[in-house]
Amino acid sequence: MAIHDQAIRKLASADYLLIEEEHARLDRLLHDLRDTCCNLDNLLNCEGCGNEKLASCRGRLPSFAHDIIDLTSKHFYHEESIMLSRPHVTEEYEYFRVHHQAHVDLMQKLYALLGECSSLDGQGSSAEGFRQFYKRLSGLLEEHDRCFDDPFIQSTKA
């Protein structure tokens, strides 16, 4: 989420705090996800993990999925509320519609990603499920920040 820190600081105080808190929570979730699987940074599978570690990993992926979906959907709602609070922005405003559609698309990709990673986990490839979830989720969020959040936040002070 560090991609647009400078732009976020230009928001109104209350909006800044909300967005900053949500980005920090997303960062913590990604960090926790990264720390959960000891094989995230290598190409190893879970053969070297004990039963307790494997059970813990398998149980945590659905938990991460729930938390990510909950936080991301709330964050998108807050972003859209901030956008609509601007005097010239309505639901018909082209940039709002495009940004909103990007949120819808990202959530659909997130659900599909979770299905794929849960399937890998269910097939005994927990490490690969975690790797894919972390890598692709990070990429989706960074792409959204770069394409939509930075330009919007910059526009709040234009």
Side-chain angles (χ1 to χ4, degrees), residues 40-89:
L40 196 70
D41 292 325
N42 58 47
L43 297 178
L44 299 176
N45 57 26
C46 301
E47 289 176 1
C49 298
N51 289 336
E52 295 84 13
K53 175 68 175 160
L54 189 55
S56 174
C57 285
R58 286 191 172 152
R60 292 194 73 188
L61 191 57
S63 177
F64 280 117
H66 177 275
D67 289 347
I68 289 290
I69 287 171
D70 183 56
L71 180 56
T72 304
S73 64
K74 286 178 183 175
H75 177 64
F76 288 166
Y77 172 80
H78 293 145
E79 277 187 3
E80 291 175 15
S81 296
I82 290 168
M83 290 176 77
L84 290 171
S85 71
R86 303 224 4 166
H88 68 283
V89 178

Side-chain angles (χ1 to χ4, degrees), residues 71-117:
L71 180 56
T72 304
S73 64
K74 286 178 183 175
H75 177 64
F76 288 166
Y77 172 80
H78 293 145
E79 277 187 3
E80 291 175 15
S81 296
I82 290 168
M83 290 176 77
L84 290 171
S85 71
R86 303 224 4 166
H88 68 283
V89 178
T90 67
E91 290 183 7
E92 290 78 35
Y93 181 59
E94 182 179 355
Y95 186 77
F96 176 83
R97 286 186 294 115
V98 171
H99 197 145
H100 170 74
Q101 187 59 51
H103 288 163
V104 171
D105 294 346
L106 196 144
M107 290 303 292
Q108 288 174 344
K109 289 176 184 176
L110 179 57
Y111 279 111
L113 172 62
L114 291 170
E116 292 170 26
C117 294

